[in-house]
Amino acid sequence: MTLVAQNVVVRQLTEFTELVATQRLYESIWRSNGNTPPVTAELLRAMTKAGSYVAGAFAGDDLIGACIGFCSPPDAGSLHSHIAGVAAGARGRNVGYALKLHQRTWALERGLREVTWTFDPLVRRNAYFNLGKLGADATEYLPDFYGLMHDDINAGGESDRLLVSWRVQAPEVVAACAGQPKVVSATGAVALGISDDGLPVRGTCTGATALVAVPPDIEALRVANPAAATEWRHAVREVLGGLLASGARVTGFDRSGWYVVDRSSS
């Protein structure tokens, strides 16, 4: 099944050699360096046998992306997408988007209403991809959700996550999957901004709409200035997490680096 990304085929994985390749791909993306891998081929084998979602994106014979998920209890009608990743050399080719469209089709074919997943709220490109390009909704702030992680991307920091809900038949999701991303305007009171030296600056949460900034490249900042990265973690947790806990709703993410938060219901 060819989707969106040119010369890329997304399909379910069944052969054990493909599952081993998926483990190796994830290890290369998260750079676990001999620590516990993000997922093992043995676990993937059990997931495929149980009917869970395990899919890969191929360019020719090369596995360049993969996504895995497992279903919630039947009454929930939901798939939890646990890990998705694209090889470094294949980024910018819409491979991740193709994987998510394949996942949505898989969910629809099984009568599921929703796909959920988590992402690091400090990663700007992922915030736009999830909330803008896919039209998902951020529903809950989860402080230090995975505890201490040992891969190169997450090591040394707390693993806060945003939980998102992708209602697969919602109009904004249908539009996003047809190439019309959800667009929001970064206008409102700045609840968390960025100083001239790149540090978080707390503002005000007055007004109906609050804006919460994130740094341009948190992954580079973690290497160059770990103390600043930690400061951002705690500031976004306090401000964005606090807004969500009070009943406010994230309406989207502006590509210039702002969460747009509706406070009218809080």
Side-chain angles (χ1 to χ4, degrees):
M1 183 178 184
T2 303
L3 293 168
V4 182
Q6 187 176 10
N7 299 322
V8 172
V9 173
V10 180
R11 60 174 173 79
Q12 295 293 111
L13 303 180
T14 57
E15 299 300 320
F16 190 70
T17 54
E18 298 173 336
L19 305 180
V20 172
T22 301
Q23 176 181 331
R24 299 288 180 257
L25 174 66
Y26 285 157
E27 288 174 334
S28 71
I29 294 169
W30 277 272
R31 302 188 298 276
S32 48
N33 290 328
N35 293 309
T36 303
V39 68
T40 64
E42 293 81 6
L43 176 61
L44 293 174
R45 172 63 100 188
M47 290 177 66
T48 60
K49 183 63 176 177
S52 295
Y53 181 81
V54 181
F58 291 84
D61 293 330
D62 296 328
L63 180 70
I64 60 172
C67 185
I68 67 172
F70 38 83
C71 289
S72 300
D75 289 348
S78 179
L79 171 75
H80 184 74
S81 183
H82 180 49
I83 304 178
V86 176
R91 290 174 190 164
R93 294 172 53 188
N94 275 337
V95 176
Y97 188 53
L99 281 164
K100 296 307 286 187
L101 295 190
H102 181 276
Q103 187 177 66
R104 176 176 178 266
T105 298
W106 187 94
L108 286 168
E109 289 173 348
R110 286 155 182 81
L112 302 177
R113 300 183 297 273
E114 174 191 49
V115 180
T116 64
W117 64 90
T118 65
F119 74 95
D120 186 339
L122 294 180
V123 181
R124 210 184 257 196
R125 68 179 184 278
N126 288 350
Y128 175 74
F129 178 76
N130 293 321
L131 306 184
K133 193 163 184 175
L134 294 177
D137 295 317
T139 59
E140 188 177 359
Y141 193 97
L142 304 168
D144 203 21
F145 185 58
Y146 292 111
L148 182 64
M149 303 178 75
H150 300 286
D151 59 87
D152 280 5
I153 294 176
N154 297 289
E158 295 164 288
S159 56
D160 289 24
R161 295 292 183 266
L162 266 182
L163 178 68
V164 301
S165 169
W166 204 32
R167 294 172 295 118
V168 291
Q169 297 190 68
E172 59 269 27
V173 173
V174 173
C177 293
Q180 303 169 41
K182 184 177 181 180
V183 178
V184 293
S185 175
T187 56
V190 176
L192 185 68
I194 304 179
S195 69
D196 291 340
D197 54 357
L199 296 176
V201 178
R202 288 164 178 79
T204 176
C205 287
T206 59
T209 303
L211 304 178
V212 180
V214 292
D217 188 345
I218 187 61
E219 292 169 340
L221 189 63
R222 285 176 183 141
V223 175
N225 191 341
T230 298
E231 189 172 343
W232 271 107
R233 173 67 79 205
H234 293 162
V236 171
R237 178 190 297 174
E238 176 186 328
V239 177
L240 182 60
L243 284 166
L244 287 173
S246 72
R249 183 177 67 89
V250 175
T251 59
F253 188 84
D254 185 90
R255 295 195 80 164
S256 61
W258 302 89
Y259 288 97
V260 181
V261 184
D262 178 10
R263 298 183 62 250
S264 60
S265 59
S266 61

